[in-house]
Amino acid sequence: GAVVSQHPSRVICKSGTSVKIECRSLDFQATTMFWYRQFPKKSLMLMATSNEGSKATYEQGVEKDKFLINHASLTLSTLTVTSAHPEDSSFYICSASLALNTEAFFGQGTRLTVV
Amino acid sequence: DAKTTQPNSMESNEEEPVHLPCNHSTISGTDYIHWYRQLPSQGPEYVIHGLTSNVNNRMASLAIAEDRKSSTLILHRATLRDAAVYYCILITGNQFYFGTGTSLTVIP
């Protein structure tokens, strides 16, 4: 089946630095990808919709200047956490689907720890 | 915003069937009912989805109420590997708004 891959799986960065997370659709083209974050023992929260060739759509309360999303090709979306702070430490997950209303494929997630 | 309600947790004995309920009383005619499960420190995994009719696949069955205001995920024989958080989600399009899910514990 279709596969979505994230890289890195875990990253530790210093406070104030930026971190880039990649999300790739390995065997299909995805015009739309989605980014979520998940705090421990909590559910996934949709952060933004990444659109190939255009600006991302952010959910209410998500700072677009802090969480930069780039979807430059049909198989790659990137999320950059800028000027990271300890409160940005979380599990970040991306997803994509082959078509509307069909099965979603999720990446394995990226554990970000800001120290 | 999540439009589903599920019990926070459930337990099942190994090799017995499990029925995981989900209420979605505000479902619209175009909402699909999706189920995913998530193991610790992993991304969610697709289980099953449907619109109006009951669905079966190799992993589970999905029973959808006639009025579509509730559904039940059925695991026919629970194994220890089925221990996970199960999310019932309504979607139109491709955006998923996760609720709190049900944490399933499988007892050996």
Side-chain angles (χ1 to χ4, degrees):
Chain A
V3 176
V4 171
S5 179
Q6 275 182 251
H7 178 80
S9 58
R10 58 180 64 236
V11 57
I12 301 173
C13 72
K14 291 185 177 181
S15 189
T17 62
S18 296
V19 173
K20 180 184 286 187
I21 303 169
E22 293 185 348
C23 179
R24 293 181 184 274
S25 55
L26 295 186
D27 51 1
F28 68 102
Q29 294 182 332
T31 55
T32 304
M33 292 184 176
F34 301 91
W35 287 97
Y36 302 81
R37 67 187 299 182
Q38 184 176 32
F39 292 107
K41 306 287 186 183
K42 299 294 185 182
S43 186
L44 283 77
M45 183 192 77
L46 179 65
M47 297 175 67
T49 302
S50 173
N51 304 299
E52 189 268 335
S54 64
K55 291 182 179 180
T57 305
Y58 290 83
E59 295 297 301
Q60 190 172 7
V62 178
E63 299 175 59
K64 63 180 181 180
D65 294 329
K66 180 165 187 61
F67 299 100
L68 300 178
I69 291 173
N70 184 275
H71 194 152
S73 79
L74 287 171
T75 59
L76 174 64
S77 174
T78 60
L79 169 69
T80 301
V81 183
T82 63
S83 187
H85 292 286
E87 56 265 32
D88 298 323
S89 298
S90 188
F91 193 51
Y92 292 87
I93 307 168
C94 68
S95 76
S97 301
L98 289 167
L100 290 176
N101 298 315
T102 61
E103 171 185 359
F105 301 96
F106 288 83
Q108 68 269 44
T110 298
R111 176 78 57 195
L112 170 64
T113 304
V114 184
V115 298
Chain B
D1 294 327
K3 297 187 288 184
T4 62
T5 56
Q6 300 174 253
N8 287 332
S9 61
M10 291 185 65
E11 287 187 350
S12 173
N13 292 320
E14 194 177 9
E15 299 196 4
E16 290 189 356
V18 183
H19 290 233
L20 299 167
C22 181
N23 287 321
H24 29 79
S25 58
T26 60
I27 191 170
S28 71
T30 56
D31 283 338
Y32 281 73
I33 302 162
H34 281 233
W35 283 82
Y36 290 78
R37 69 183 186 183
Q38 186 181 26
L39 297 171
S41 297
Q42 294 187 26
E45 173 190 30
Y46 170 79
V47 179
I48 201 166
H49 79 282
L51 183 60
T52 56
S53 302
N54 294 342
V55 184
N56 299 296
N57 66 22
R58 63 177 179 80
M59 289 182 69
S61 296
L62 175 60
I64 301 173
E66 195 168 336
D67 62 6
R68 301 215 317 133
K69 293 185 176 183
S70 65
S71 61
T72 302
L73 178 70
I74 303 165
L75 306 180
H76 296 287
R77 283 180 70 243
T79 70
L80 296 178
R81 287 176 294 181
D82 291 324
V85 177
Y86 286 78
Y87 295 100
C88 166
I89 307 163
L90 301 183
I91 70 161
T92 301
N94 275 333
Q95 291 177 306
F96 290 69
Y97 295 96
F98 284 76
T100 55
T102 297
S103 179
L104 175 65
T105 300
V106 180
I107 302 168

